[in-house]
Structures are given as structure tokens and as C-alpha cells.
Amino acid sequence: IIGSGDEQEEFYEGEPITISYYIFTKPGAISNIVNYEVPEFENSWKEGISKSRLNFKRTVIERRPYDYSLLQTVVLIPEKGVDVLRGTQMVVELTTGSFFNVRKHTISSPAISIPLKPLPDSDTIPNGIFGDFKVTVDKKEVVLDSENLLDSVTYAVNGCGNIHSVHIDIEKIQGVQLFPPDIKTEAVVTNGKYCGTKQFNFMLKGTKKGQYSIKVRDIDFFDREKGWYKTPVPSVRLDVKEVSAVSVNSSGDGGIKYEVLRELPSGLAVYDLALITEKIWFRIALVIPIFIILGSLL
């Protein structure tokens, strides 16, 4: 079990935990691994990293040679408030012997039970996130005018830790319509740590002319070496010179109703979405065989 530091250390709530499952065997004892069941874990986000093929290596344990190979690596991020992370056994089905003397065997790993301790000062910082991150933004200034009524701002969170719990929250701006962000996350296990990038792409629309400032609310992070800290996020200047004639309203549940065109642009292709049974040619084609039968009878 590998966390953010050394092996077999204590783990915090929300700290990513990497668990690797290996199989050890005497040289040449296994003919084939038929199947293995991935363990189930309670109250945690899970991402499995399976191996496409087994790659056995040789080691010596108590003066006896063994072949071993990595079966699977699992990244776990416990949910908030979980004090014990539990997981079931990994069950492996394998065969031994030659072609004429094949025997099936089933072996299993121990079940997992990992105690978790709360983050320091969690009572005064209830929304803190475990990890070492920095936040950047792709623009310093945004100008909305007649040629650019809509624009976007992208914030990127880079680092290692509980990246899935990180959320960028922009302070409300009077005179600016802010759409829900398009979120993209890419993360991998690197040297026992869960590291990556999470991007938040916000679409902006000016509703009132003026100059504004886009600010992100502070995020509290906890790192084993740094302790508690706030990562600085630069503000973005916003200059609204022109307001769109099309209004955008917020729905009652906090969502956004996107813009609706009042007039269709010229050259726009229009398609008939009516059911085939409602089309005139279908009804005519349906009646023609009846007339043919009546005519033959007469």
C-alpha cells in the first residue's frame, strides 16, 4: 500500500491511496492465470489500472527463488467523513501442470482495512482538500464587444492529491452571465502519487456594459510538508463594451437556459422531423394497394 509518503504510514481522509496487487509463485509452477476478480471498496472513488500482460521477474525470499508479477494497481480516494477504508479480497483463478495434467486452483489476497485520520484542524477548515496544487488561468483580460459577445476563461489545477474534489468557484459578478463550466480531468499514478490536471472552462456573456474583475474564491489545501495553505489565483480583467440583444435566463434550479435565436440565419438547412406515418405520400402509398384489390374484384 503506497500513499503520498513512505509505505505503511497513516493516511488522511481524502488522501489518494495506491494499492498494488502482486502474485508470487515458485518458478514454472503456474501454467496460466484464467481470471481474477477486482476487489470492491466501500465509500471511495476508485480507478483501476490493469496490466495488459503479466511480466514476471525473479526474486529471492528466505533463500528461495520466486517469480512475481503485478496483477493490478488501484487508486482510491476515500469519501469525506470515512474513517476506515475497507476492501474485499482479490480472488485469482489459475492452472498448474502440463497439457495432459492441468489442475485449477483458486487463491485470494487478504481483505483490506485501512484506518483514516481526519485532516488537522478539520473542524475549523471543513472544506479543506488534501493535496499539493497550483491554479493557473489562460487569460489576463477578456474584452466583450460587438464582434465577440461571448468568450471563455479556462482555469487549470495542476498537482498531486485529491484532484477530483477540487472545484473552481468564481465570485458572482453583476453585469456578467456565467455558464456552468466544462470540466476535464486527466490524472495518473506517478511514484505512488496521484497527479494530474483538472481544467474548468467557463463561458462568459456580458449583460451590462462596464469593467469588471473575475475572481476565484480561495481554496484550502493540506500537504504533509506545507501544512495548510491557500494557492494564489490571479484575477482576470473583464471589459464589457457591447451587450447581446438576446437574453439568457437562469432556471429555478440554478441551471442556465442557453441562448435561443430569435431569427434563423440565412442559408440554414431545415429538416422535417414529422413521423413517417403523418406524411401525405405514406398515406397515399398505403391506399393504392386497396384500390388495386377492389379493381381486380370488380
Side-chain angles (χ1 to χ4, degrees):
I1 303 174
I2 302 176
S4 298
D6 298 331
E7 295 184 10
Q8 304 301 329
E9 66 180 347
E10 293 182 320
F11 298 96
Y12 287 104
E13 292 182 6
E15 178 180 3
I17 301 174
T18 302
I19 301 178
S20 297
Y21 289 88
Y22 290 85
I23 184 170
F24 286 79
T25 176
K26 294 181 180 179
I30 296 178
S31 302
N32 184 30
I33 294 181
V34 180
N35 185 31
Y36 60 86
E37 297 180 4
V38 180
E40 296 293 333
F41 296 90
E42 300 177 355
N43 303 322
S44 65
W45 177 91
K46 179 184 73 174
E47 179 179 349
I49 306 173
S50 300
K51 301 291 292 184
S52 58
R53 56 180 300 179
L54 298 181
N55 183 19
F56 281 95
K57 298 180 181 179
R58 182 66 55 86
T59 187
V60 176
I61 302 176
E62 297 180 352
R63 299 182 179 181
R64 293 183 179 181
Y66 285 89
D67 290 341
Y68 71 97
S69 177
L70 176 65
L71 285 176
Q72 188 181 54
T73 297
V74 180
V75 180
L76 303 172
I77 300 180
E79 295 178 358
K80 190 175 183 62
V82 176
D83 56 358
V84 178
L85 182 62
R86 293 185 173 87
T88 60
Q89 297 174 310
M90 170 176 276
V91 180
V92 182
E93 297 179 2
L94 52 86
T95 58
T96 60
S98 60
F99 179 78
F100 297 100
N101 188 25
V102 177
R103 295 182 180 181
K104 291 185 178 182
H105 301 271
T106 300
I107 59 176
S108 62
S109 69
I112 296 293
S113 180
I114 306 174
L116 305 174
K117 61 180 183 178
L119 294 174
D121 302 321
S122 57
D123 53 342
T124 58
I125 311 177
N127 297 320
I129 299 174
F130 184 95
D132 184 8
F133 297 100
K134 66 177 181 179
V135 184
T136 58
V137 62
D138 65 338
K139 297 176 183 177
K140 296 182 178 180
E141 183 178 11
V142 176
V143 178
L144 301 178
D145 51 27
S146 58
E147 296 182 356
N148 188 36
L149 296 174
L150 291 170
D151 207 337
S152 64
V153 175
T154 301
Y155 292 88
V157 181
N158 299 276
C160 302
N162 188 358
I163 193 170
H164 291 279
S165 295
V166 179
H167 184 73
I168 297 296
D169 189 11
I170 296 180
E171 296 180 0
K172 187 176 181 180
I173 309 171
Q174 296 293 337
V176 177
Q177 181 67 64
L178 185 68
F179 292 90
D182 180 22
I183 303 175
K184 181 180 180 181
T185 304
E186 294 181 355
V188 295
V189 177
T190 304
N191 297 326
K193 296 183 178 181
Y194 191 62
C195 307
T197 301
K198 189 173 185 179
Q199 293 184 340
F200 299 81
N201 183 262
F202 291 89
M203 185 69 69
L204 305 171
K205 175 187 178 295
T207 58
K208 184 179 180 181
K209 295 181 181 180
Q211 294 182 344
Y212 308 94
S213 179
I214 305 174
K215 297 180 180 180
V216 174
R217 291 188 172 89
D218 293 336
I219 308 175
D220 293 304
F221 293 110
F222 177 81
D223 181 69
R224 289 181 177 271
E225 297 180 358
K226 297 180 180 179
W228 284 108
Y229 71 97
K230 298 180 185 290
T231 180
V233 182
S235 59
V236 178
R237 297 188 301 271
L238 176 61
D239 187 4
V240 181
K241 296 182 178 180
E242 188 69 28
V243 178
S244 174
V246 182
S247 62
V248 181
N249 298 322
S250 297
S251 60
D253 57 358
I256 301 298
K257 293 181 179 179
Y258 287 87
E259 299 186 5
V260 178
L261 296 174
R262 295 187 178 182
E263 295 182 2
L264 292 177
S266 60
L268 183 68
V270 179
Y271 298 92
D272 185 5
L273 299 180
L275 297 175
I276 189 173
T277 55
E278 297 178 359
K279 297 181 181 297
I280 297 177
W281 62 264
F282 178 81
R283 296 178 180 179
I284 295 175
L286 194 62
V287 173
I288 288 177
I290 298 176
F291 282 105
I292 294 176
I293 295 173
L294 292 176
S296 62
L297 293 176
L298 293 176

